[in-house]
Amino acid sequence: MLLPALGNTCLYYVAPLVVAQLAGHLAGGGTDVLSYVVVFAGLLVFAEFVWRIGIHCLSRVDGLGGENLSVLGMNALLAKDAAFFHDNFAGSLTKRVHSFAWRFTDIADTMSFNVVANFVPLGFASVVLWNYHPVLVLVLIGMITVTGFVVTPLVKRRQAIVDKREAAIARVSGHIADSLTNMETVRAFAAEHSEAVEHQARVREHRRLAIRSWDYANLRIDVVAAPLSVLTNVLGLYLAVKLGNLGVEGVVVAFAYFANATRIMFEFNQIYRRLESSLTEAAQFTELLLEPPTVLDPENPEKLRPPPPTCGSTTWSSRTRARRSCSPG
């Protein structure tokens, strides 16, 4: 999980530092450009190399995690009693256990590429900016912290909408699976139209909740985060110019670091949006695991055996086929 963070550090913070040094070198009358360009190219190549290794490792983690959770979910369902399956549709259970297993990929990728890969490089940026002027670090970290405190309550309020949205899509998936599974019965009762109408109603409800959750993110959360991001970048550029003695190099570094770091302000919402669906679906399946059985099946049930042959029954053997008959007495 640290490899993408290392790649981001090289790409978004070390590479701009080289460019800033080149700008300062040229502003001071220097003419050597090739060495800076070579170092800059080497950093970009190294960052891509690290990213490739990180994605290679994470793909193995995602696969193993999804496989283990899928097996765990199936074993948990197999341990349920008969009453449980009478009260829960097969399609809904299929969707839930599949999401429970493979949403792990979304969580692992989000933690790696959005959380660790953004906040670890922020530490590197803070150290560099501190060497230029401590005020730059205080303003940057302070504004990111303020944004987090302001946005977090809004994100939590949106969770209730997302819970309803995910429950709605689960009902859609469950209805599709159950309708197709029982299609013979549906056609026997000429219920195709009613099934189609019910499906349309379920999809329409999911669309309503999905748009509501998207609008809340766009018109509530991002509307708060965007002005704070703009203000942070403006303060960073203004301070880099007015603090004095930073030179061209310091102005370039401050501008690049503030521009890259303020992306985290929008990541608060994006990270939670990616995690909330995964956590909600995992919670929906976990709720099933916590439900106590209403009917206890025997721990060691007897295996089904065919009934003993009766008079006139047909018996089969590996060589012959004979029809038994019963004699009186």
Side-chain angles (χ1 to χ4, degrees), residues 119 122 138-156 220-233 235 258 261-272:
F119 285 94
L122 184 61
L138 296 177
V139 171
L140 178 60
I141 301 299
M143 291 300 296
I144 292 177
T145 303
V146 169
T147 303
F149 276 111
V150 174
V151 169
T152 297
L154 298 176
V155 170
K156 289 183 177 180
R220 296 284 187 89
I221 300 176
D222 287 346
V223 164
V224 173
L228 292 174
S229 175
V230 172
L231 177 61
T232 304
N233 281 285
L235 287 175
F258 269 72
T262 50
R263 293 184 300 116
I264 299 175
M265 296 181 176
F266 289 98
E267 288 293 327
F268 285 132
N269 182 31
Q270 299 300 325
I271 289 171
Y272 197 82

Side-chain angles (χ1 to χ4, degrees), residues 3 47 67 79 81 210 236 245 279:
L3 290 175
E67 178 185 349
D81 55 38
N245 299 325
L279 295 176

Side-chain angles (χ1 to χ4, degrees), residues 129 136 236-237 240 246 249-259:
L129 290 176
L136 294 173
L237 183 60
L246 295 184
E249 179 182 344
V251 173
V252 173
V253 171
F255 172 77
Y257 282 16
F258 269 72

Side-chain angles (χ1 to χ4, degrees), residues 37-285:
V37 173
V38 170
V39 174
F40 179 77
L43 284 171
L44 297 186
V45 172
F46 178 74
E48 291 297 332
F49 177 74
V50 170
W51 266 83
R52 301 287 79 76
I53 297 177
I55 294 175
H56 176 83
C57 296
L58 281 171
S59 63
R60 272 66 184 170
V61 173
D62 291 345
L64 289 174
E67 178 185 349
N68 291 335
L69 290 175
S70 182
V71 173
L72 174 65
M74 187 61 181
N75 290 340
L77 291 180
L78 292 175
K80 291 293 185 178
D81 55 38
F84 174 84
F85 295 99
H86 182 270
D87 298 333
N88 293 276
F89 292 114
S92 178
L93 291 176
T94 302
K95 195 262 183 185
R96 287 189 181 190
V97 71
H98 182 76
S99 298
F100 172 74
W102 295 106
R103 282 291 194 173
F104 171 80
T105 301
D106 297 335
I107 296 176
D109 289 351
T110 300
M111 293 299 296
S112 299
F113 298 121
N114 299 104
V115 178
V116 177
N118 280 325
F119 285 94
V120 170
L122 184 61
F124 177 87
S126 300
V127 172
V128 175
L129 290 176
W130 187 275
N131 290 327
Y132 284 104
H133 204 290
V135 174
L136 294 173
V137 179
L138 296 177
V139 171
L140 178 60
I141 301 299
M143 291 300 296
I144 292 177
T145 303
V146 169
T147 303
F149 276 111
V150 174
V151 169
T152 297
L154 298 176
V155 170
K156 289 183 177 180
R157 292 175 191 171
R158 184 172 176 269
Q159 179 63 50
I161 305 176
V162 174
D163 289 342
K164 296 178 181 179
R165 183 192 71 192
E166 296 302 317
I169 191 60
R171 288 191 292 270
V172 171
S173 301
H175 177 257
I176 293 175
D178 290 323
S179 296
L180 297 179
T181 302
N182 300 283
M183 185 53 65
E184 292 183 358
T185 303
V186 171
R187 289 181 174 174
F189 287 89
E192 292 91 344
H193 178 70
S194 62
E195 291 294 317
V197 171
E198 182 176 354
H199 173 71
Q200 183 178 10
R202 290 174 182 265
V203 172
R204 184 180 294 114
E205 175 64 11
H206 172 256
R207 175 179 60 85
R208 183 185 69 82
L209 293 171
I211 292 177
R212 184 182 172 191
S213 66
W214 298 336
D215 287 345
Y216 193 96
N218 181 45
L219 302 178
R220 296 284 187 89
I221 300 176
D222 287 346
V223 164
V224 173
L228 292 174
S229 175
V230 172
L231 177 61
T232 304
N233 281 285
V234 171
L235 287 175
L237 183 60
Y238 177 81
L239 292 173
V241 175
K242 288 296 184 178
L243 286 174
N245 299 325
L246 295 184
V248 176
E249 179 182 344
V251 173
V252 173
V253 171
F255 172 77
Y257 282 16
F258 269 72
N260 289 326
T262 50
R263 293 184 300 116
I264 299 175
M265 296 181 176
F266 289 98
E267 288 293 327
F268 285 132
N269 182 31
Q270 299 300 325
I271 289 171
Y272 197 82
R273 287 181 65 178
R274 294 184 182 98
L275 291 177
E276 63 187 356
S277 297
S278 302
L279 295 176
T280 298
E281 292 196 351
Q284 289 176 351
F285 183 79

